[in-house]
Amino acid sequence: MVATAASSAFFPVPSPDTSSRPGKLGNGSSSFSPLKPKFVANGGLKVKASASAPPKINGSSVGLKSGSLRTQEDTPSAPPPRTFINQLPDWSMLLAAITTAFLAAEKQWMMLDWKPKRPDMLVDPFGLGSIVQGGLVFRQNFSIRSYEIGADRTASIETVMNHLQETALNHVKSAGLLNDGFGRTPEMFKRDLIWVVAKMQVMVNRYPTWGDTVEVNTWVAKSGKNGMRRDWLISDCNTGEILTRASSVWVMMNQKTRKLSKIPDEVRHEIEPHFVDCAPVIEDDDRKLRKLDEKTADSIRKGLTPKWDDLDVNQHVNNVKYIGWILESTPQEVLETQELSSLTLEYRRECGRESVLESLTAVDPSGKGFGSQFQHLLRLEDGGEIVKGRTEWRPKTAGINGAIASGETSHGDS
């Protein structure tokens, strides 16, 4: 009984209309051939089964493989066990996606048109500058950044001075004369000589605003026997309006002894081919500056000390920093209601990191016009003069450049 039940589980029961033939196994289907025993020489029994077609179970064909039965219908196989390997992403698909993204980006890059479409766009998009006018003038463009403007939403005087200094150094570099340090030529480097500014004059017609693009042109000329003059013109790239004129005189100093030096002939031969024979852009202001002290000054600011960031590569305070210190003693009312229109500075000596300074300001009695004029002195605590200067101011135009009037507060800005 048990054997019969086991057999019926694997072999179908024939239908009533199926004819039975004698000699077939269990009167089953005719697809099975009889088993024929065959004796081999070694005495073993070898059974040979002859089958003309694969057997069927419950109407489905089956095949025997490795001693097991397998249906030929497309039955889904069980998923493989989850392992670390088969849970990894398809790297080929990821690589294809990255490649597609790069190709699309490259196509967009090649389609870009770098030519300026408006007159106010940068002619020099990377701000590197270039030599023009027969190799004697250096030109560079600057875009006014948000961090370069002040409370009036215009560029500060320090921003203007930084543009002057940057173009001066880039001019020397573009001319192939920059060796080491701040604008030192190869012959200056051999003799431990550096440039120091002796006098600076700046006249500002209008300050640029955030987003404006300015063009700076600079060149050098001879100044006396042992000096060099450098001039600048700053203009609006869009309108061509002259915004600032500046002129300066430079002399040489020995970096080790910190004493002034004559220009050696070897250095003169390096720089003279780059001199321009022309008048300065600003007439020399030769008015004498009266002596300032605690008694004659109207305001004094003490305890000014340079920071490490205030030093340049020649290990003395950057020239632009002096302007900020001078303005420290300028009356607050003037800073709020007027803007600096002209500046004259005479540099007496350098200032080091350990120096402690005082800023003195007095009203210039010789001042004329509708603005204010002041005389300034920046000195060491022991009385040694660092910088003497004169500033001229003009009233701020109401509403120009979106400036907020003095005393008003904008609660909408954050």
Side-chain angles (χ1 to χ4, degrees):
M1 294 292 293
V2 176
T4 304
S7 299
S8 63
F10 288 95
F11 298 98
V13 179
S15 57
D17 60 345
T18 304
S19 60
S20 299
R21 295 182 182 180
K24 303 298 180 181
L25 181 62
N27 293 331
S29 173
S30 61
S31 60
F32 281 91
S33 298
L35 299 179
K36 299 179 180 180
K38 183 179 180 181
F39 292 92
V40 293
N42 57 3
L45 178 65
K46 182 177 181 181
V47 179
K48 180 179 180 181
S50 299
S52 60
K56 294 183 178 181
I57 297 179
N58 295 332
S60 299
S61 300
V62 299
L64 298 177
K65 184 177 181 181
S66 301
S68 62
L69 297 176
R70 181 177 62 86
T71 64
Q72 292 181 350
E73 293 180 345
D74 295 333
T75 57
S77 59
R82 296 177 63 85
T83 63
F84 173 76
I85 298 299
N86 61 24
Q87 293 185 52
L88 290 177
D90 190 342
W91 297 110
S92 61
M93 296 183 63
L94 180 61
L95 181 59
I98 295 176
T99 304
T100 303
F102 271 103
L103 291 176
E106 182 181 10
K107 182 178 180 180
Q108 293 294 329
W109 180 268
M110 297 300 294
M111 293 174 62
L112 290 177
D113 184 6
W114 290 102
K115 296 180 180 180
K117 294 178 172 55
R118 301 191 313 269
D120 60 332
M121 292 184 68
L122 285 174
V123 177
D124 178 19
F126 300 103
L128 302 178
S130 59
I131 299 290
V132 297
Q133 297 187 15
L136 299 178
V137 177
F138 179 78
R139 178 175 298 164
Q140 187 172 1
N141 296 332
F142 295 92
S143 180
I144 305 302
R145 311 297 183 182
S146 60
Y147 52 82
E148 295 176 322
I149 63 176
D152 301 322
R153 303 182 185 180
T154 59
S156 63
I157 185 62
E158 288 89 350
T159 296
V160 175
M161 299 297 292
N162 283 327
H163 289 170
L164 302 184
Q165 179 174 279
E166 180 71 9
T167 51
L169 293 175
N170 289 339
H171 183 193
V172 178
K173 182 178 180 180
S174 299
L177 297 178
L178 186 63
N179 185 275
D180 180 67
F182 248 20
R184 292 203 294 180
T185 67
E187 292 296 333
M188 292 175 63
F189 176 75
K190 294 178 182 179
R191 293 164 175 78
D192 293 317
L193 297 175
I194 60 175
W195 288 110
V196 292
V197 61
K199 188 173 183 177
M200 173 74 73
Q201 292 181 251
V202 181
M203 294 184 65
V204 181
N205 179 45
R206 180 176 68 83
Y207 289 94
T209 61
W210 176 26
D212 287 350
T213 301
V214 297
E215 178 185 276
V216 184
N217 288 272
T218 183
W219 59 91
V220 292
K222 183 180 179 180
S223 177
K225 294 182 179 180
N226 291 293
M228 179 184 72
R229 190 186 84 240
R230 177 174 286 279
D231 291 349
W232 294 269
L233 280 179
I234 302 180
S235 59
D236 189 306
C237 279
N238 186 27
T239 64
E241 174 191 3
I242 299 299
L243 304 178
T244 303
R245 292 178 173 86
S247 184
S248 61
V249 176
W250 299 73
V251 294
M252 286 192 175
M253 184 179 75
N254 188 287
Q255 190 175 21
K256 292 183 177 179
T257 64
R258 317 307 287 188
K259 294 181 179 180
L260 297 181
S261 171
K262 295 182 177 180
I263 300 180
D265 292 337
E266 293 81 0
V267 177
R268 194 181 302 277
H269 294 157
E270 286 181 318
I271 61 178
E272 279 190 346
H274 303 275
F275 284 173
V276 177
D277 186 13
C278 66
V281 295
I282 300 178
E283 252 186 70
D284 184 30
D285 185 1
D286 56 359
R287 291 177 295 172
K288 291 186 178 180
L289 298 170
R290 66 188 179 98
K291 185 177 181 179
L292 283 181
D293 53 27
E294 290 86 350
K295 297 180 179 180
T296 57
D298 296 317
S299 60
I300 302 176
R301 177 67 184 275
K302 297 183 178 182
L304 301 174
T305 56
K307 304 175 183 178
W308 174 256
D309 293 340
D310 298 329
L311 303 181
D312 58 26
V313 297
N314 292 326
Q315 299 302 307
H316 61 210
V317 174
N318 189 288
N319 302 323
V320 180
K321 184 63 181 179
Y322 293 141
I323 300 177
W325 283 336
I326 285 177
L327 298 180
E328 288 285 343
S329 58
T330 304
Q332 186 67 28
E333 181 182 357
V334 174
L335 297 177
E336 293 179 355
T337 61
Q338 303 183 43
E339 64 181 9
L340 184 63
S341 59
S342 71
L343 171 71
T344 300
L345 299 178
E346 296 179 0
Y347 296 86
R348 302 298 188 183
R349 68 175 67 182
E350 62 179 341
C351 174
R353 183 183 178 187
E354 304 299 329
S355 303
V356 180
L357 298 90
E358 298 175 346
S359 177
L360 292 78
T361 296
V363 176
D364 190 351
S366 63
K368 297 179 181 180
F370 52 86
S372 302
Q373 292 191 20
F374 297 95
Q375 290 190 7
H376 306 271
L377 173 63
L378 196 62
R379 69 180 187 181
L380 299 173
E381 280 188 328
D382 59 10
E385 294 183 349
I386 302 295
V387 179
K388 297 178 69 174
R390 176 185 287 108
T391 59
E392 297 182 6
W393 302 73
R394 60 178 173 237
K396 296 178 181 178
T397 304
I400 190 170
N401 300 323
I404 300 175
S406 176
E408 294 183 2
T409 304
S410 175
H411 299 285
D413 297 336
S414 57

